[in-house]
Amino acid sequence: MALLAITIMSCSGGGGDDSPAPEPPPTTGGGGTTVTAPTYTANIKSIIDGNCVTCHNPSGENPNVLLQTYAQVSAKAADIKIRIEKPAGDPLVMPKGGKLSQANIDLINKWITNGMPEK
Ligand code: HEC
């Protein structure tokens, strides 16, 4: 009985953050490798550069919203999340007139959820 009490106590100790991390869905980057901790420099910049910066630059279609640096992208993260999750064909979906791959959407969402690490 004493042993049981000790077991229970040792299990419930620790203060709440005992998240067992239930297998996250695999997120694949450009090369097909699984990315569990995406960073702006390693993962996000290339997605934005390849799909967004043609318009979101000072002489592009939307020069009001620049997406060329970490500071610019992280400041717009909440809006970016909304826009990239619009269905293809939605007038508000970004990239405008297109749709990111689900892998890239997952990667950006994971990056935002993780607190937008720069590197
Ligand atoms: C073909 C040009 C084009 C591309 C490519 C493009 N955008 Fe846009 N984007 C626009 C235009 C034009 C607007 C303004 C009209 C609107 O809000 O839909 C806009 C608006 C936005 C907004 C809303 C900004 C605000 O605060 O009002 C966000 C966020 C955004 N784009 C993110 C992105 C992201 C992220 C990508 C790449 C995945 C992307 N865009 C690719 C043209 C583009």
Side-chain angles (χ1 to χ4, degrees):
M1 197 55 215
L3 185 63
L4 180 61
I6 289 165
T7 308
I8 290 168
M9 280 175 66
S10 65
C11 281
S12 59
D17 190 13
D18 52 345
S19 41
E23 273 189 62
T27 313
T28 54
T33 45
T34 300
V35 179
T36 49
T39 68
Y40 174 77
T41 305
N43 310 100
I44 306 305
K45 187 178 191 305
S46 61
I47 301 173
I48 304 288
D49 282 354
N51 296 281
C52 317
V53 166
T54 45
C55 295
H56 292 273
N57 76 75
S59 52
E61 211 179 302
N62 192 343
N64 302 315
V65 179
L66 302 178
L67 297 176
Q68 297 170 291
T69 67
Y70 171 74
Q72 291 163 350
V73 172
S74 55
K76 274 287 168 192
D79 295 316
I80 291 170
K81 179 176 167 57
I82 292 168
R83 294 302 195 99
I84 63 176
E85 288 183 336
K86 298 281 182 194
D90 188 296
L92 294 178
V93 71
M94 289 291 147
K96 194 182 161 203
K99 179 80 181 162
L100 290 178
S101 69
Q102 192 58 48
N104 282 345
I105 294 171
D106 291 347
L107 209 51
I108 292 174
N109 282 337
K110 179 170 271 187
W111 175 67
I112 294 172
T113 305
N114 287 355
M116 302 182 288
E118 183 171 7
K119 37 187 136 169

